[in-house]
Amino acid sequence: TPTKETDQINPASPYALSKYDQENIVINACKRTDIQATAMRFFLCFGPRQSLNNPYTGICSIFSTQILNDSPPILFEDGMQTRDVIYVGDLVKACLLLLKTDSLKYSTYNIGSGSAVTIKAFADTLIRIYGKKIKPVVSSQYRLGDVRHISADISRIRELGFSPSTTLEEGLAHYAQWILQEESVSSSFEEAK
């Protein structure tokens, strides 16, 4: 079920808790000082210029570096967990829209694509774009703190006129075009794991 901004928050990891706490600190401080603030909850963003050597940057960089080094992407669980991924260009459009809208004082907005893709489908799409003949490996391992499904309900920001325009395939093609121009692409999967 897509997550609404008004749904009960139950952070499953220290990272998720820190993000929620930061949101509350900013909104609280801004209310006390009468400064306008809008919280933006980013879902999984990807795009050109993402760090290739920071293991925390996410599946796009991790899978890409594995694939480009002729290693199959390693999928945790069964690979059927889902994520809402948004291309960086669409995320920027959403941020600009919210920054230019005056009546949002102390509001919270999900910024995502509004749809979910399986981790396996994400990996398969990257493999196809890079033209490799490998298949993802399903490890069946579970990582503590991982959430099975993450999907954004973006109806609130859609009411302001936002609509993601970049498909997953288009966004990954932009990403691939960028990464293929990089001189050195080494895998940081072990560090990420």
Side-chain angles (χ1 to χ4, degrees), residues 96-124:
L96 290 172
L97 172 66
L98 292 174
L99 287 169
K100 292 176 181 178
T101 305
D102 290 330
S103 60
L104 307 178
K105 204 169 189 176
Y106 317 129
S107 299
T108 302
Y109 287 87
N110 287 336
I111 301 180
S113 67
S115 61
V117 62
T118 67
I119 299 298
K120 183 180 181 323
F122 191 94
D124 287 341

Side-chain angles (χ1 to χ4, degrees), residues 67-68 70 124-134:
I67 295 164
L68 292 173
D70 295 316
D124 287 341
T125 303
L126 276 172
I127 290 167
R128 186 175 63 257
I129 287 172
Y130 292 125
K132 297 289 186 168
K133 301 290 184 205
I134 56 179

Side-chain angles (χ1 to χ4, degrees), residues 106-171:
Y106 317 129
S107 299
T108 302
Y109 287 87
N110 287 336
I111 301 180
S113 67
S115 61
V117 62
T118 67
I119 299 298
K120 183 180 181 323
F122 191 94
D124 287 341
T125 303
L126 276 172
I127 290 167
R128 186 175 63 257
I129 287 172
Y130 292 125
K132 297 289 186 168
K133 301 290 184 205
I134 56 179
K135 291 185 177 187
V137 172
V138 175
S139 72
S140 299
Q141 294 178 337
Y142 171 77
R143 294 188 317 165
L144 186 64
D146 269 2
V147 177
R148 180 76 176 160
H149 301 291
I150 300 172
S151 177
D153 179 326
I154 60 169
S155 55
R156 182 180 244 179
I157 195 168
R158 278 190 193 277
E159 290 173 4
L160 299 176
F162 173 72
S163 182
S165 59
T166 309
T167 67
L168 177 65
E169 186 93 22
E170 291 167 339

Side-chain angles (χ1 to χ4, degrees), residues 169-182:
E169 186 93 22
E170 291 167 339
L172 291 177
H174 292 308
Y175 182 86
Q177 182 179 20
W178 165 75
I179 198 172
L180 290 171
Q181 296 174 1
E182 293 297 296

Side-chain angles (χ1 to χ4, degrees), residues 45-117:
C45 180
F46 73 95
R49 296 187 178 84
Q50 255 180 310
S51 174
L52 297 176
N53 52 21
N54 179 347
Y56 193 74
T57 58
I59 61 172
C60 193
S61 295
I62 293 168
F63 286 176
S64 290
T65 57
Q66 287 176 300
I67 295 164
L68 292 173
N69 284 285
D70 295 316
S71 296
I74 307 298
L75 310 182
F76 290 98
E77 299 182 35
D78 59 359
M80 300 311 289
Q81 56 275 49
T82 58
R83 297 293 182 264
D84 187 315
V85 295
I86 183 168
Y87 182 67
V88 66
D90 287 330
L91 183 132
V92 169
K93 286 182 212 171
C95 290
L96 290 172
L97 172 66
L98 292 174
L99 287 169
K100 292 176 181 178
T101 305
D102 290 330
S103 60
L104 307 178
K105 204 169 189 176
Y106 317 129
S107 299
T108 302
Y109 287 87
N110 287 336
I111 301 180
S113 67
S115 61
V117 62

